[in-house]
Amino acid sequence: MDTAQIRRNFVAHFENDTRWGAHTVVPSASLLLDDPTLLFVNAGMVPFKPYFLGRETPPYSRAVSVQKCVRTPDIEDVGKTTRHGTFFEMCGNFSFGDYFKEGAIELAWELVTKSIEDGGFGFPEDRLWPTVYDDDAEAVELWRKVTGFPDERIVRLGKKENYWSMGVPGPGGPCSEILIDRGPDYGPEGDFSAEDRYLEFWNLVFMQDELSAVRSKEDFDIAGSLPKKNIDTGMGLERVAFLLQGKQNMYEIDEIFPVIERASELSGRRYGKDHDDDVRFRVVSDHVRSAMMLIGDGVTPGNEGRGYVLRRIMRRAIRSVRLLGFHEAALPHLLPVARDCMAPSYPEIATDFGRISQYAYAEEEAFLATLRQGTTILDQAITETRSTGGAGLDGAKAFQLHDTYGFPIDLTLEIAAEAGLSVDTDAFQRLMLEQRTRAKADAQARKTGHADLSEYRTVLDGGPITFTGYAEVARESTVRAVLDRSGAPLPVAHEGDAVEIVLDTTPFYAEGGGQQPDTGRITVGGGQVAVDDVQQPLPGLIVHRGRVTRGEIRAGEDAYAEIDITRRRAISRSHTATHLIHQTMRNFLGESATQAGSLNAPGRLRFDFNTPGAVSPAVLRDVEQQVNTVLMDDLEVRAFVTSQAKARELGAMALFGEKYGDEVRVVEVGEYARELCGGTHAARSGQLGLVKILHEASIGAGVRRVEALVGIDAFDFLAKEHLLVSRLADIYRVPIDGVGERVEQTIAQLRD
C-alpha cells in the first residue's frame, strides 16, 4: 500500500464512522504556528492545543487530521535508526468531550486489523501488543473486551512510556500504545524496551487529569480530573508505511527512497553495501524532504530561530552528499525528486516549487562557498600546527570553524586525518555541550509562554466580544470587566489608574495582522478612559488598555466607545497600500515574492517579503508607478466572508504561518489584488492619494523589506524633497535635472 493510500484510508475510516460518529476532516496546519513554546509543529495535536488547554471552544466534537510535523532534538540519530526523521506526518483522531477510552481503542483496533480490501491496514492480530499505563485498570478491561486478548497479551508500562503531558501545568493522562512484533531478528522476545522489535506505531492519549505541577516526565502532581475528558491519538504515517510496504526502515518507503536512488546515481555508490554510506544516504533523503517542506511553509535559511534549523538541516544534507563523493551542487538533482514524491498529497509543493527551489539552490551555493572558505582556514590551521610540531588540531579552532563558519566537524576530522593530524575532539565536544546547554535553557524559557490567562478566560465565559469596527467608528456598549494591567479584576478604577477595559461590543480594532491598534476614548457615565492600545490576549476577547482621565469606571455600567477616526483612516490607507505593494511585487518578481511580515501605521507602512536577492532601483520604480496607477483608477475595495475553499478558488493570497478557520474574510481591490485579511481598509484605492516607496533593504537571508509613505505623509515627503532639490539647483545655477551630475562632480573634486 503506497503512503498516499494509507493517508486516505486513515482519514476515511474516521470521516465515515457511524459507531462513534463522523469526524470532521481538518487539513494539516502549517509547520509554523503562533505558539511561543515551539519553533515548529512537532506533534499532530499541536494545532488543537488551544482546545485542550481550554483557551478556545472547538468548533467540532470529533476531528481527524494528517498533520505535517518537524522535530529536530534527535537530529543526530537521523539515518542511524529505523524511526527517526526530522520531517514526519502524524495521523490523528481527536475527541473533545465526546467519546473516550472505549471509542479510541475500538476505532484504532478496527482500522489496524481490518483487511486492506475493506479499507483497513490488515495487520495480523497475533503480532500486535497493546500497552497500558500501570494502574489504568479501565484501559486493560477495554482492551480485553475489544481484542479478546488475555491479560498477559496486554503490556503494562510506567510513567516514562505511558503517561502523557505537555510538560507544563494543564491536561494530562495515561496512554495506550499499539506495538507490532517484528520478530527475533530485531531483539529478544518479551523485552518491550527493544524498540526495534516491538515497534510502537500508534499512541492513544486519554486526557483525563488536570496537572498542577510538572517537574519532569515522571514527576508531576495531579490536581484532579478534567471537567471534560478528551482523546488525542497519533499514528506515525512513515512507520505504518514501511511496515505495510515490507521495508526495513522509514527511509525506504515510496515517498522517500527515490531520493536515495538519485543520490546513489550521482555518487556512484550503492545503497545497502556500506553502513556509513547508508546512514549518509538516509540523512540526504530525510533532510532534502524536510528542507523542501519547511521552505514550502515559509521558512528561509538564516542564522537564528527557524531559519537556523532549516540551514542546519540543509547543510547536513549537502555535507552528506559530499561525503558520498559528489562535490558539485546536488540539490538541483535531488529536490525535484522529493517534489514528485510529495506533490500528490501536497500539490502546493509543485505549484510553489519555483520559490522553494530558488531558496534551496541559493543556500547550497552559499554553503559550498563556505566549505571553500572553511577549507582555506583549516589548511592554514594545519600548516600552523605542523610548523610548531603539534600532533593535533586545537579543539577551539574546530569549534570556531563549526560555530562561526558552519564547517562540519566530521569534515574537519576527515581533512585533518588526511594531513596526518588528530583533532582535540574532547575540547570540541565540551564547547558544543556548553552551547547545547545554553540552547536547552533557552528552550525551557520558551515554556513560560503559557502565561496565566485564567482571568481573561473568566471574562470570555460571557461569550466572545463583538467587533463592529468594519462598519462603525463609535457605538454604545456595556462594560463587561475592569482589570488592572496584570489582568486582575478591579471593583472600581479611579482617575489616574492604568486599566484594561472589556466591552460587550466595540468598534476598536485590536492589533493584529501587522495592523496597529485603534486609539480613542471610552466614556462611562461621568468617567472616561483614554485608550492607547487594544489587544486580543485570547481569540474572541478584545481588551482596551488605557488610563482613566476622569471619574470612576465600574463593570456593568453603560459605555460609549469612539475611536480616533483620523488615525483609523490613515492606518486603513496604509493597509490597503500594503496589499497593493504585495500584489505588485509578485507581478514583477514572480509568485515567490510572498509576504513575510508587515507593519501598517498611520501614513506609513513596512512590507517584508521573500526574495533571494536585492530588488533593483528600476524594479522599485516600476512597482511604485504601477501602485499609483491603481490609485488613479480609483478601484472599489470590497471585503466579504466566504469559505476557505472558495477563497482559494478565487485566487486569494494567504500568508504563511497564519491560522485560518473554515470561513475567511477576503479583501479585494477591484480585480487587481485579492487577499485573506482581517484588517480595516480604505473604501476605494483613490483614497490613498499617493504611495511613495522610500527604500529597500535586506533584513535576513532571503528576506527583503520596503518602507513606504501613504497619503499626505507621502506628499509632505515629496514636497520637502522638491524644496531641497530646488535649493541645490539654485546654488549650482543649473536646471533641476542637472543637480545630480553637479553633485557628483563636487564629490569627485573633493576626493581629488
Side-chain angles (χ1 to χ4, degrees):
M1 184 185 299
D2 63 39
T3 306
Q5 186 62 49
I6 296 172
R7 283 191 196 88
R8 291 192 291 270
N9 281 17
F10 185 89
V11 171
H13 176 69
F14 291 95
E15 183 182 14
N16 301 322
D17 181 66
T18 56
R19 168 81 165 86
W20 298 97
H23 291 53
T24 299
V25 179
V26 180
S28 174
S30 165
L31 288 165
L32 321 179
L33 287 185
D34 186 15
D35 185 326
T37 69
L38 297 171
L39 282 177
F40 307 111
V41 170
N42 64 354
M45 57 76 64
V46 168
F48 303 101
K49 273 176 65 175
Y51 308 147
F52 291 132
L53 290 169
R55 293 177 176 173
E56 296 181 32
T57 301
Y60 29 68
S61 57
R62 298 172 299 278
V64 59
S65 71
V66 180
Q67 175 61 46
K68 299 179 290 185
C69 303
V70 165
R71 192 178 295 167
T72 57
D74 48 7
I75 191 172
E76 300 295 338
D77 293 326
V78 170
K80 300 175 183 177
T81 72
T82 61
R83 59 194 178 276
H84 285 98
T86 52
F87 174 85
F88 59 96
E89 293 173 78
M90 193 59 68
C91 305
N93 59 291
F94 306 89
S95 166
F96 307 101
D98 194 73
Y99 64 81
F100 196 46
K101 292 182 184 179
E102 183 178 6
I105 290 171
E106 186 177 292
L107 284 164
W109 190 252
E110 180 187 3
L111 178 59
V112 299
T113 59
K114 186 168 55 176
S115 70
I116 292 174
E117 292 75 18
D118 290 333
F121 297 144
F123 286 118
E125 293 187 17
D126 60 355
R127 292 176 56 200
L128 299 177
W129 292 77
T131 75
V132 298
Y133 178 51
D134 269 333
D135 60 1
D136 192 353
E138 180 186 8
V140 173
E141 185 57 35
L142 287 169
W143 276 113
R144 290 178 58 190
K145 173 185 173 183
V146 171
T147 66
F149 284 178
D151 276 0
E152 58 268 22
R153 283 294 313 278
I154 301 168
V155 182
R156 291 164 174 81
L157 299 173
K159 290 179 180 178
K160 181 180 179 182
E161 298 86 2
N162 274 46
Y163 195 93
W164 175 91
S165 79
M166 292 187 187
V168 294
C175 310
S176 269
E177 296 178 334
I178 303 178
L179 315 181
I180 187 165
D181 182 0
R182 302 177 71 201
D185 290 345
Y186 296 93
E189 183 175 358
D191 181 4
F192 293 97
S193 64
E195 294 182 338
D196 278 341
R197 172 162 184 172
Y198 295 97
L199 184 71
E200 177 260 318
F201 64 89
W202 200 341
N203 186 24
L204 317 179
V205 177
F206 311 131
M207 290 191 200
Q208 62 187 44
D209 301 325
E210 177 74 33
L211 307 186
S212 58
V214 180
R215 291 169 290 277
S216 71
K217 184 169 179 59
E218 300 180 67
D219 184 12
F220 49 81
D221 298 332
I222 298 177
S225 297
L226 290 171
K228 287 186 176 182
K229 297 178 180 180
N230 305 314
I231 289 294
D232 155 30
T233 86
M235 187 194 83
L237 177 66
E238 289 80 4
R239 292 192 186 188
V240 172
F242 84 71
L243 290 170
L244 290 179
Q245 293 172 19
K247 304 300 181 182
Q248 296 299 307
N249 54 64
M250 62 172 285
Y251 312 101
E252 297 175 8
I253 67 173
D254 58 320
E255 289 190 347
I256 302 177
F257 192 68
V259 177
I260 291 179
E261 292 180 309
R262 186 70 181 106
S264 176
E265 293 171 2
L266 294 174
S267 64
R269 301 188 189 184
R270 285 182 56 193
Y271 179 74
K273 291 199 66 174
D274 178 83
H275 173 73
D276 290 341
D277 279 352
D278 286 352
V279 171
R280 291 164 185 149
F281 278 123
R282 294 168 191 158
V283 168
V284 170
S285 64
D286 172 83
H287 287 10
V288 167
R289 184 171 79 141
S290 297
M292 178 182 69
M293 300 304 289
L294 283 169
I295 298 173
D297 271 5
V299 185
T300 55
N303 291 324
E304 58 185 33
R306 292 164 172 159
Y308 175 77
V309 174
L310 171 60
R311 173 162 285 167
R312 185 183 181 204
I313 288 172
M314 294 186 68
R315 291 187 170 189
R316 279 174 54 86
I318 297 164
R319 175 202 66 197
S320 296
V321 173
R322 185 187 188 283
L323 293 176
L324 285 167
F326 188 74
H327 295 267
E328 300 172 22
L331 290 183
H333 302 281
L334 301 175
L335 203 65
V337 178
R339 173 201 61 200
D340 294 343
C341 290
M342 298 303 294
S345 297
Y346 297 97
E348 64 272 17
I349 292 297
T351 57
D352 201 24
F353 190 71
R355 180 186 66 85
I356 294 169
S357 60
Q358 198 171 19
Y359 282 104
Y361 300 164
E363 178 65 16
E364 181 175 33
E365 287 300 323
F367 184 49
L368 292 176
T370 293
L371 290 178
R372 289 189 288 270
Q373 181 185 23
T375 302
T376 301
I377 295 170
L378 181 57
D379 288 344
Q380 292 173 348
I382 289 172
T383 301
E384 292 171 3
T385 302
R386 280 174 164 172
S387 66
T388 58
L393 196 66
D394 183 28
K397 175 62 72 175
F399 179 77
Q400 179 193 25
L401 281 165
H402 173 85
D403 191 55
T404 304
Y405 299 99
F407 201 77
I409 180 60
D410 51 2
L411 200 52
T412 298
L413 292 169
E414 177 187 334
I415 295 173
E418 290 172 356
L421 297 175
S422 63
V423 178
D424 187 350
T425 53
D426 289 341
F428 174 83
Q429 294 297 340
R430 185 175 64 252
L431 291 167
M432 285 295 294
L433 179 61
E434 292 173 3
Q435 185 188 61
R436 289 194 189 103
T437 302
R438 290 192 296 271
K440 187 175 181 180
D442 179 63
Q444 184 63 32
R446 286 178 174 270
K447 292 190 176 181
T448 61
H450 291 292
D452 182 8
L453 301 172
S454 57
E455 290 297 339
Y456 289 136
R457 283 197 288 271
T458 299
V459 175
L460 194 55
D461 286 341
I465 308 305
T466 303
F467 172 64
T468 62
Y470 294 136
E472 59 187 11
V473 294
R475 75 164 292 116
E476 294 178 347
S477 187
T478 302
V479 179
R480 181 182 292 188
V482 181
L483 312 169
D484 65 19
R485 284 301 179 94
S486 68
L490 291 173
V492 60
H494 303 279
E495 184 175 338
D497 288 350
V499 294
E500 295 185 342
I501 305 293
V502 180
L503 304 176
D504 282 337
T505 57
T506 179
F508 281 81
Y509 182 85
E511 182 175 9
Q515 179 171 326
Q516 288 193 341
D518 284 329
T519 60
R521 61 188 178 189
I522 299 173
T523 304
V524 183
Q528 192 170 89
V529 177
V531 178
D532 55 35
D533 187 21
V534 187
Q535 295 295 325
Q536 192 170 198
L538 291 173
L541 181 66
I542 298 174
V543 175
H544 311 76
R545 294 173 177 167
R547 191 171 297 275
V548 180
T549 56
R550 69 166 188 258
E552 296 178 343
I553 311 292
R554 291 180 175 83
E557 295 186 328
D558 293 335
Y560 186 72
E562 49 189 330
I563 68 171
D564 182 333
I565 300 173
T566 302
R567 173 184 168 86
R568 160 69 80 82
R569 287 174 177 167
I571 292 174
S572 297
R573 289 192 292 267
S574 294
H575 203 154
T576 303
T578 297
H579 281 216
L580 294 176
I581 290 175
H582 186 189
Q583 181 60 58
T584 310
M585 283 291 185
R586 288 165 70 95
N587 292 346
F588 282 95
L589 301 178
E591 296 297 305
S592 63
T594 52
Q595 182 171 330
S598 67
L599 172 68
N600 302 299
R604 62 186 177 88
L605 66 88
R606 186 182 71 214
F607 175 69
D608 303 337
F609 58 102
N610 297 304
T611 195
V615 181
S616 69
V619 169
L620 283 179
R621 283 195 302 271
D622 290 342
V623 168
E624 183 180 86
Q625 183 177 8
Q626 181 64 64
V627 168
N628 282 290
T629 299
V630 174
L631 270 52
M632 293 177 64
D633 291 340
D634 194 28
L635 303 177
E636 179 186 7
V637 180
R638 191 170 75 96
F640 59 93
V641 175
T642 186
S643 68
Q644 195 171 147
K646 181 64 175 177
R648 287 200 192 98
E649 185 182 319
L650 291 171
M653 288 188 287
L655 304 186
F656 288 117
E658 289 291 326
K659 184 179 179 181
Y660 299 106
D662 291 334
E663 287 197 332
V664 293
R665 183 170 181 263
V666 178
V667 174
E668 58 183 17
V669 184
E671 292 296 323
Y672 186 79
R674 187 175 288 113
E675 195 167 317
L676 304 190
C677 180
T680 64
H681 288 267
R684 304 190 69 86
S685 64
Q687 292 178 354
L688 276 59
L690 179 67
V691 173
K692 175 59 185 174
I693 295 177
L694 299 179
H695 52 78
E696 181 266 2
S698 170
I699 60 168
V703 183
R704 310 294 296 186
R705 170 175 292 170
V706 294
E707 296 190 39
L709 298 175
V710 183
I712 194 67
D713 293 83
F715 176 81
D716 287 345
F717 173 83
L718 291 175
K720 290 175 183 176
E721 193 173 66
H722 178 74
L723 287 173
L724 175 61
V725 175
S726 296
R727 176 64 177 148
L728 288 171
D730 288 342
I731 292 171
Y732 280 116
R733 297 183 180 181
V734 296
I736 286 178
D737 59 6
V739 168
E741 182 180 348
R742 289 300 303 273
V743 169
E744 290 174 356
Q745 291 174 359
T746 301
I747 292 172
Q749 290 170 0
L750 290 172
R751 284 175 178 166
D752 293 340

